[in-house]
Structure formats: C-alpha cells, structure tokens
C-alpha cells in the first residue's frame, strides 16, 4: 500500500505533535481531523477581503460567526453587582462597524483589561463569537479576536487586497487558529500524491494537487481560488465514481442464473387478464428489466417512479418472469402494514394465478405467501415450508424474510421496496440466501435528481417511470396558515366533511403518536426557534383524533393508525378504511408508502412544517388514486416569511417530484443526503455540490468507467488507490460491498 508518510502523520502523537496537544485534541474531537492530510483537506468555507468587510447587517442569529470590522468606539462602564457590590464591576462595550451595519461587543470582569488596551477606535480586527440579542440589539459577548496589523513593509494596497480564508470552525477553535495550524503544515502539501491520472488532469486543464492545496489555503487572487476549487471538485467526483465503477465491474464478474420467462407461461397468462394496457413507460422499463434478467450476471437496478406511476405492476411482472423461469422472487417491504398491503394487492391482481400448485409444473399458477414477524407459529411454519420446497414462487414480507430460519428453494430475484428504509446489511443478508447471487431490483418513490442517483446509487443502473397511468386524478395542494388565519383551518375541516358527504374518505396525518412513551421526544432541542410554533411539541394522532371526533368532525367515523399498534389491529383498521367503513383515518407517516385506497380523496397534514419536502410529496401521493380529484391541505403555524413556509409553498406549487427533490437538496447540505444514503458513513464531499456540479459528476463517471475497464485493480495508478483507501474507510467499504 502506497502511503504518503508526510500526510499520514498524526496531528497528535505521544512524543511529538505537529500542533500543540490541546489544539490537536480539539481538532480530533470536534472536527474529525486526525492527520496532516485531513487538515490540508479542511478547506475554507469562504474568504474575506481585508479591504471589503463582511456585512454586519446580515448576521445570522445563534450562529458562530467570524467578521472583519473596525472599532468605532470603546467605553468602559463600572456597575454594582452581587460579585462586585461596591460598584467595582467592569463592563467594556465596544462598537464595531463595517459600513453596512454596527455590532456591539461586550466584555465583563477581568476579561476587560486586554481588549480595553487593544481595541482602540480605528483598530481593525477579526472577531469570532456567537450572535445573540440584548436589549433588542445584536451583540457578541466575549468574542475571540485577532488584530489585523499589516507589516510596515507591506503596501496598503496588498494588505487591503489580501484574501483571508474563513474556515468551518467550532466554539472551541476559531477560524484563524485553524488557519494558523494549516499554515504550519502547508509545506507538506508538496508531497501530496496526485490521484488523478496525468492524461485526465492535463486533458481537462486542471492544476496539480499540491498547487491546488496551496491555492485554496493561501490564494493571492480570486482566480487562484477558482483554479483550486475546480481541481478539488474533480478529485471528489472522480475518486467516488472510481469506487462505484469498481463495484459495478466486480458485480459484472459475479455469476447469476439467467431468468427468461417461458413463452405462454405465467407472465403471458397474467398480462392477458389485465383490465388495462400498460403505459409506454411501464413497457419500456419492463423491457430494460427483462434484458437484465436474461444475462448471466446479477441485475442491480434502481426503479424510480413518481407516487402512483405503477412501479408495483412493473415489479410484479419481473417476479412473474422469474417464476416462469423456474425461480422464486422475494419482495421486501419496510413495514408490516405495507407488506400486508402488497400481498393483498398482488393476490387481487393475479386472481386464480396466485393459487397455483408446484412451481414450474404444467399449471401456470404459483403460490404467493406472506411472511411477517407477527404471524402465528402455524401460519409461519406453513409459509417457511412453501418457500423451502419451492411451492411458493413469490414471497412478500418484512425483515422477517432475512432471519436464518428462512430457506429458499431457488431465489432468483429480490425486490426491495423503499430503499432508504433498509439497512445495507439487511439487503445483503437477503441476497445471501440464493445459491448464486440473485438479481436485485430496488424501488423508490422518492424521485432522485440524476446527479444524486449517479453519486449515491452509482453502483445501480437506473430506470425512471415518469408518466402516471390513465385514470389518475390531479391533486390540488394548499397551505393552511393556522396561526395567521384560523378560519382557514375551520374551512379545512368543512372541506373534509364535504368530501365524506360526497361518498369519499380522508386522511389526517400528524407527526407524533402521543401516548406516554412518546413524550420524551418533546425535549428534542430545536435550532433557532422561529416562534412559539416551533417550541410546542408536534401535534399527536391520539390528541387530534379525540379533538376531531368531539369537535369539527363530530358524527363521522374517525379511527387512528400508528406504528405502535398490534399488527392485527393495524390490519383491521386498514381493512375497514379500504372497505369504506371508516370516514377519516388519523395516522402517523405509516401511511407514507404503498397504502392504496382509491376512494380517499382528501388529506390534511398537521404541522406540515415538521416533515421534509420528499416526505410531504410521498404522503400527498396517497390521495387522488381513483377517478375523483385529490385535495391535500398543509396546515402550519409558521410565520409567512419563514423558510418553513417557503418550503411548504414549493410543495403546494408543483406535483413534479423531481423538481421537489431538487428544492429539497438545495435546502439541505449534500452531506445530509449522501450521509443518509451512505448508511451513515461520513460524507467525503467538501467542495462538490451534487446539484450544481452535475456536469463534473457525469464526466467523472465516464472517465472512471474507462479507467476501471482498462485497469480494474488500478495497478498503474498507486496514488488513486491510496485516495480510494482514504475514502473507503471500513464503513464505506462495507457499504459498497453490500450495495
């Protein structure tokens, strides 16, 4: 393994430390920086020009900020307090300005002496601290500061034009201390091994890595910063895409049993009994899947589809094709409610074809079994026997399918519903149940922008279903501002009554269940509360259901559904709702995926600001599934100007899931998105922005695929191998292994 000794050197060692031991400790604990290389890759968040200062007018509340400003005046006050009863208490108030606004700094007690001597009017300095409000004015209490003294030799011009890097910092370590530490190790950047192949780097006009590190930490001009960022973005995109390309290459070497459907078999019989024609999109995606199933290495395909675009139909046809070819198919669902729902709808769609005898026999039918954790012992034994003998061609279940006891006769296809709810280990355990690796189809109803799909699911080929089947109705969405306009909420409940009077049903969704076990969640700390709406606990199913039954929806049949109910009770509630016996279902997000009740036309989402954009889009997809138009009301107490209200406005304004997922991604950091998808592993993206840098990611994917095709072990690119080792720490390595 080709290590780069200088960059691998730990910042903190028993005998000698690169930095002071206290600084090294804070860097390790608060910023995750352990080696010289880690520190060099801790890039500035932005740059200050000494001649042109941060806008004090735009300071965010409750955040650690670094500002460059000039002292306007400084006054020392004395006061009496419990600690200094004789009026000996001292308070230094310093006002700083940057032309756009003014900000007060306060120092107390013994802490006033040094700043009183140093912060004289006209002095310029960098100040760092947490912005708070006192007497309706913004202030920094006891900020750390660093005076900006130009060397006498430096001309005023160069001093004013210099770029000061501002680093992601913590309360324990200010930006300029990080900057000083980086300047200490910057000479070792010359020894950084370049992971990009020379031909690629020269062909794309990118600067070498040592030069990029130098320019990002000590730029002379804005062009330096641009050069460095372009180069470092390529590093991140390329190394990640090489990891994924190697994964795809390794998968292509695995053996799998080709599964070609028999002519005039189960699939043909199923298609013949369909009461509708498949959409063009369903036919196209089915062809892509059937082509993959016919090959002798495992399919790894991601099927993305808007809510209600008919993904389940496409997945079922793939499962039937595998059964036709003599294999078995397993569908893994994230919840029991969803597994039962899928089982019911598959059996209904297949009719008598779901009551078949032996697999591969002359009869076209097969058995469809359900396997969940809460089944009775006898039913479970029966289901396990059907799987082991091959009597059951299709099994639908929860993670109970993964248990050791579950044995398959010949597992040919695994379908995973709602990828983001399944741990990588669970998918891996299920794939390990085939004699040879089974084909894998992952379905998600969360539309993922193309670049995120390439970055997060880069080891899967992607199919997209983007047209809705005929007969699906439009959904009107509106924001209901309950605090500003309480009468809007009253009108919302009237609309629910009107839908019920017209023979339809409604959902009411709440963020919380509301029984005692749930209470501790109240204390979850909220960052920057926007107003009282943020501070109160989220509305709960049990409270809201009681309020509606006695109040606005009195006389209607209202039932509750949540994740802590006994599975039989949940199933009974869903059956009554599906049969139209219940008018209004008050539920948590257990109804988010897969629940299909075409007669439900209205949905009211309480505290809608507590849900993510994609989740709201998922929930909304539960209505408008029949011929009557759907209605989704997003209830919130957030003030009009708040980001939460803007987010809800975006959801109300479009039904395009891909557009919403872009908005969602722009509002969160890429790290959140990747971190979640990478099974909790730390994200490696520091300068690459998944949405903005679409072109770089697409080009990096092409380059990576070509490099891996010609040299799968990267024998001729030792520096790239080293970079991969750094990226793929154990956790990520496992993630990609199991992808």
């Amino acid at each position: 393994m080709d290590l780069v000794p200088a960059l691998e050197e730990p910042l903190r060692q028993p005998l000698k430390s690169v930095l002071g031991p206290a600084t090294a400790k804070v860097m390790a604990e608060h910023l995750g920086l352990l080696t010289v290389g880690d520190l060099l890759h801790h890039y500035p968040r932005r740059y200050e020009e000494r001649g042109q200062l941060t806008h004090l007018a735009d300071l965010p509340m409750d955040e650690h900020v670094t500002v460059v400003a000039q002292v306007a005046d400084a006054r020392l006050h004395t006061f009496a307090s419990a600690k200094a009863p004789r009026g000996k208490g001292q308070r230094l108030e310093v006002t700083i300005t940057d032309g756009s606004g003014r900000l007060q700094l306060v120092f107390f007690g013994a802490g006033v002496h040094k700043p009183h001597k140093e912060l004289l009017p006209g002095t310029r300095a960098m100040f760092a601290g947490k912005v708070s409000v006192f007497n309706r004015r913004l202030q920094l209490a006891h900020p750390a500061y660093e005076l900006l003294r130009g060397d006498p030799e430096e001309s005023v011009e160069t001093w004013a034009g210099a770029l000061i890097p501002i680093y992601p910092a913590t309360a324990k370590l200010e930006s300029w201390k990080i900057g000083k530490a980086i300047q200490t190790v910057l000479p070792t950047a010359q020894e950084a091994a370049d992971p990009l192949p020379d031909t690629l780097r020269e062909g794309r006009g990118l600067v070498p890595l040592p030069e990029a590190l130098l320019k990002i930490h000590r730029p002379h001009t804005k062009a330096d910063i641009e050069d460095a960022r372009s180069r470092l973005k390529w590093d991140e995109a390329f190394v990640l895409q090489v990891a994924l390309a190697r994964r795809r290459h390794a998968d292509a070497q695995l053996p799998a049993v080709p599964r070609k459907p028999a002519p005039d078999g189960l699939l043909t019989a199923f298609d013949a009994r369909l009461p509708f024609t498949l959409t063009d999109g369903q036919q196209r995606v089915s062809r892509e899947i059937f082509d993959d199933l016919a090959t002798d290495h495992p399919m790894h395909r991601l099927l993305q589809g808007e809510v209600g675009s008919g993904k389940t139909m496409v997945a079922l046809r793939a499962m039937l094709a595998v059964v036709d070819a003599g294999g078995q198919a397993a569908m893994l669902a994230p919840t029991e409610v969803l597994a039962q729902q899928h089982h019911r709808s598959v059996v209904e769609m297949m009719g008598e074809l779901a009551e078949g005898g032996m697999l591969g026999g002359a009869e076209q039918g097969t058995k469809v079994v359900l396997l969940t954790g809460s089944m009775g012992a006898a039913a479970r034994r029966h289901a396990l026997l059907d799987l082991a003998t091959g009597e059951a061609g299709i099994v639908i279940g929860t993670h109970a399918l993964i248990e050791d006891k579950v044995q398959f006769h010949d597992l040919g296809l695994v379908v995973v519903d709602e990828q983001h709810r399944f741990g990588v280990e669970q998918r891996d355990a299920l794939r390990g149940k085939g004699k040879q690796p089974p084909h894998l189809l992952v379905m998600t109803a969360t539309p993922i922008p193309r670049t995120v799909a390439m970055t997060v699911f880069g080891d899967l080929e992607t199919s997209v279903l983007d047209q809705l089947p005929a007969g699906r109705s439009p959904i009107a969405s509106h924001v209901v501002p309950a605090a500003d306009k309480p009468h809007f909420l009253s009108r919302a409940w009237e609309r629910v009554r009107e839908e019920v009077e017209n023979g339809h049903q409604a959902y009411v969704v709440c963020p919380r269940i509301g029984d005692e076990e749930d209470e501790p969640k109240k204390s979850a700390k909220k960052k920057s509360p926007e107003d009282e709406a943020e501070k109160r606990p989220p509305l709960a199913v049990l409270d809201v259901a009681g309020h509606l039954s006695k109040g606005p929806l009195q006389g209607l049949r209202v039932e509750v559904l949540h994740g802590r109910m006994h599975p039989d009770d949940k199933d009974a509630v869903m059956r009554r709702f599906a049969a139209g016996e219940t008018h209004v279902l008050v539920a948590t997000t257990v109804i988010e995926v897969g629940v299909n009740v075409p007669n439900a036309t209205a949905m009211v989402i309480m505290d809608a600001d507590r849900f993510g954009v994609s989740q709201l889009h998922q929930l909304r997809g539960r209505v408008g599934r029949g011929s009557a138009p759907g209605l989704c009301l997003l209830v919130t107490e957030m003030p009009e100007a708040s980001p939460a209200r803007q987010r809800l406005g975006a959801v109300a304004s479009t039904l395009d899931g891909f557009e919403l997922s872009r908005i969602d991604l722009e509002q969160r950091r890429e790290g959140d998105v990747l971190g979640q998808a990478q099974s909790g592993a730390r994200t490696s993206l520091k300068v690459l922005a998944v949405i903005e840098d679409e072109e770089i990611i697409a080009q990096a994917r092409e380059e990576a695929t070509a490099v891996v095709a010609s040299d799968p072990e990267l024998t001729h690119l030792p520096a790239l191998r080293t970079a991969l080792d750094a990226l793929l720490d154990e956790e990520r390595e496992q993630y990609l292994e199991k992808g």
Side-chain angles (χ1 to χ4, degrees):
M1 179 140 137
D2 301 66
L3 287 181
V4 184
L7 299 198
E8 290 296 322
E9 197 172 333
L11 295 173
R12 187 176 166 203
Q13 299 173 37
L15 299 174
K16 67 176 185 72
S17 284
V18 176
L19 308 172
T23 307
K25 184 175 183 223
V26 173
M27 285 191 170
E29 289 174 6
H30 294 272
L31 295 167
L33 307 175
L34 305 174
T35 66
V36 171
D38 290 344
L39 186 53
L40 286 174
H41 288 292
H42 187 70
Y43 307 133
R45 177 178 284 149
R46 58 193 173 85
Y47 299 84
E48 285 298 352
E49 288 182 71
R50 281 190 175 130
Q52 150 200 348
L53 306 176
T54 328
H55 289 307
L56 289 179
D58 304 332
L59 286 182
M61 273 297 295
D62 277 341
E63 280 191 26
H64 281 277
V65 296
T66 303
V67 296
V68 180
Q70 186 162 350
V71 177
D73 71 35
R75 295 177 188 194
L76 190 62
H77 302 276
T78 54
F79 61 91
S81 70
K83 286 184 182 169
R86 295 201 188 87
K88 296 279 178 68
Q90 290 191 308
R91 181 175 79 248
L92 176 66
E93 290 180 1
V94 178
T95 307
I96 58 172
T97 177
D98 69 347
S100 77
R102 296 165 84 81
L103 178 66
Q104 186 146 348
L105 318 177
V106 288
F107 301 88
F108 293 100
V112 304
H113 304 308
K114 187 166 176 270
H116 189 219
K117 283 204 300 252
E118 294 182 334
L119 297 179
L120 304 172
T123 307
R124 291 160 62 85
M126 278 199 280
F127 301 92
K130 192 173 182 182
V131 183
S132 57
V133 170
F134 182 72
N135 278 347
R136 298 195 169 181
R137 289 167 67 192
L138 292 183
Q139 70 167 26
L140 295 181
H142 280 280
Y145 63 88
E146 176 91 337
L147 301 178
L148 295 176
R149 302 187 182 94
D151 290 342
E153 301 86 76
E154 266 192 312
S155 72
V156 175
E157 285 76 24
T158 56
W159 190 83
L163 293 158
I164 306 167
I166 305 293
Y167 291 92
T170 75
K172 296 268 169 75
L173 199 63
E174 294 87 13
S175 166
W176 57 81
K177 286 189 181 158
I178 296 171
K180 281 182 175 169
I182 287 172
Q183 295 303 332
T184 309
V185 300
L186 203 50
T188 54
Q190 293 306 330
E191 298 178 46
D194 201 322
L196 294 190
D198 292 345
T199 47
L200 188 161
R201 190 170 52 72
E202 287 156 12
R204 302 258 170 204
L206 300 167
V207 299
L209 180 58
E211 187 183 328
L213 290 171
L214 214 58
K215 282 182 166 174
I216 199 141
H217 291 299
R218 200 187 278 162
H220 294 297
T221 62
K222 288 185 177 169
D224 283 352
I225 300 170
E226 211 36 61
D227 283 353
R229 287 179 66 84
S230 305
R231 161 61 214 244
L232 295 168
K233 281 182 178 192
W234 254 95
D235 275 19
E236 289 181 4
F238 180 70
V239 174
L240 183 56
Q241 290 300 335
V242 166
L244 294 165
R246 288 185 76 190
R247 181 72 248 127
R248 290 195 300 276
H249 185 269
D251 284 341
Q253 313 308 310
L254 289 173
V257 179
R259 309 281 179 175
K260 293 181 183 167
D264 300 326
L266 182 54
L267 181 62
T268 311
F270 174 76
D271 284 349
R273 51 171 289 134
L274 280 180
F276 52 82
T277 38
L278 298 174
T279 64
D280 293 347
Q282 284 174 316
Q283 291 178 4
R284 171 178 48 78
V285 170
S286 287
R287 276 196 300 276
E288 291 171 354
I289 291 171
F290 290 156
D291 288 348
D292 281 359
L293 290 174
T295 61
D296 54 10
H297 56 85
M299 163 171 84
H300 287 98
R301 191 166 280 280
L302 175 70
L303 172 56
Q304 292 190 58
E306 276 288 11
V307 178
S309 57
K311 291 183 301 300
T312 314
M313 172 59 70
V314 169
L316 176 56
R317 293 184 74 242
M319 294 198 288
L320 294 174
V322 168
V323 174
D324 251 355
Q328 288 169 297
M331 183 183 228
L332 202 52
T335 64
E336 294 213 349
V337 169
L338 195 51
Q340 287 162 339
Q341 173 93 25
H342 276 318
H343 182 253
R344 259 202 308 278
S345 59
V346 164
V347 169
E348 276 166 24
M349 284 195 277
M350 287 176 65
E352 70 273 9
L353 295 174
E355 298 155 10
M358 283 297 287
L359 194 156
E363 299 169 66
Q364 289 166 327
T366 188
K367 251 190 194 174
V368 179
V369 300
L370 175 70
L371 191 63
T372 64
S374 65
M375 283 169 76
R380 189 177 168 75
R381 261 200 316 276
H382 205 150
L384 289 172
L385 188 65
D386 283 344
L387 286 182
T389 59
E391 182 111 356
I394 294 177
V395 57
I396 296 168
T398 55
H399 54 273
L401 280 177
I402 296 163
E403 290 171 13
D404 292 342
K405 295 192 194 91
V406 182
Q407 296 299 326
F408 289 85
H409 177 67
D410 179 14
L411 181 60
L413 170 67
V414 175
V415 179
V416 179
D417 191 15
E418 285 309 307
Q419 153 76 10
H420 61 284
R421 290 167 176 243
F422 268 104
V424 168
E425 294 74 20
Q426 293 169 311
R427 285 210 330 252
D428 189 46
L430 191 53
R431 272 169 55 178
K433 290 191 174 290
K435 294 188 178 83
Q436 283 192 318
H439 298 281
L440 176 69
L441 179 65
V442 171
M443 298 198 295
T444 177
T446 308
I448 304 164
R450 175 170 160 263
T451 43
V452 182
M454 279 194 290
T455 311
V456 178
F457 300 111
D459 55 337
L460 300 173
E461 298 299 326
T462 305
S463 296
V464 179
L465 273 178
D466 46 14
Q467 60 186 134
L468 294 183
R472 286 299 299 260
S473 304
I475 305 168
S477 306
H478 304 284
V479 178
V480 177
D484 311 351
K485 299 176 178 164
H487 60 285
F488 275 37
L489 184 57
S490 311
R491 177 72 189 115
W493 301 127
E494 284 170 24
R495 282 292 289 112
V496 170
R497 291 193 88 97
E498 287 164 15
E499 289 297 314
V500 173
E501 280 159 17
N502 290 332
H504 299 302
Q505 293 156 278
Y507 297 99
V508 177
V509 182
C510 306
R512 208 164 55 96
I513 296 172
D515 49 15
E516 277 53 52
E517 287 177 58
D518 221 37
E519 295 306 306
K521 289 190 185 169
K522 281 185 182 180
S523 63
K525 283 185 185 146
K526 282 280 173 191
K527 289 175 193 152
S528 64
E530 289 176 21
D531 67 350
E532 286 305 311
E534 270 293 71
K535 290 178 187 165
R536 67 163 172 72
L539 291 170
V541 166
L542 302 177
D543 305 339
V544 169
H547 164 70
L548 293 177
S549 302
K550 296 189 187 89
L553 302 184
Q554 196 170 3
L556 302 186
R557 288 192 294 281
V558 177
E559 287 208 65
V560 300
L561 179 71
H562 58 75
R564 277 212 293 276
M565 290 165 62
H566 187 277
D568 292 347
D569 297 340
K570 282 195 278 203
D571 198 38
V573 168
M574 273 317 300
R575 280 178 188 279
R576 285 196 292 276
F577 190 64
E581 294 164 25
T582 306
H583 295 137
V584 179
L585 188 62
V586 183
T588 55
T589 53
V590 290
I591 61 151
E592 181 184 348
V593 286
V595 173
N596 184 23
V597 180
N599 192 44
T601 51
M603 176 177 285
V604 181
I605 303 179
M606 308 303 291
D607 280 344
D609 48 273
R610 310 274 179 139
F611 298 100
V613 169
S614 299
Q615 203 172 24
L616 290 169
H617 182 59
Q618 285 285 323
L619 286 165
R620 168 170 64 184
R622 301 300 111 214
V623 296
R625 299 178 78 85
S627 51
L631 172 69
C632 179
L633 302 174
L634 306 167
V635 179
T636 179
E637 291 186 8
M638 283 288 145
E640 195 163 357
S642 63
R645 274 284 284 278
Q646 289 164 4
R647 211 169 58 231
L648 295 179
V651 175
S653 67
T654 178
L655 291 172
D656 180 344
F658 286 93
E659 176 57 29
L660 286 174
S661 67
R662 281 187 92 91
I663 293 168
D664 197 17
L665 197 58
E666 279 159 11
Q667 290 184 337
R668 299 188 296 164
R669 297 195 329 279
E670 266 82 17
D672 300 342
V673 179
L674 293 171
Q676 191 185 15
Q678 301 285 30
S679 168
R682 63 192 171 80
T683 173
S684 58
L685 302 193
K686 297 190 179 83
V687 285
L688 190 71
V690 174
I691 288 286
E692 291 162 33
D693 298 321
E694 182 161 346
E695 218 169 289
I696 294 178
I697 293 170
Q699 291 169 1
R701 182 178 165 113
E702 274 176 38
E703 295 273 12
T705 307
V707 164
V708 171
S710 63
D711 181 5
E713 294 306 310
L714 309 180
T715 318
H716 304 299
L717 298 166
L720 176 56
R721 265 214 323 276
T722 304
L724 264 188
D725 292 334
L727 170 76
L728 302 179
D729 53 31
E730 230 172 290
E731 205 173 353
R732 292 176 76 97
E733 186 68 76
Q734 285 174 349
Y735 171 79
L736 289 168
E737 278 303 319
K738 293 173 179 172

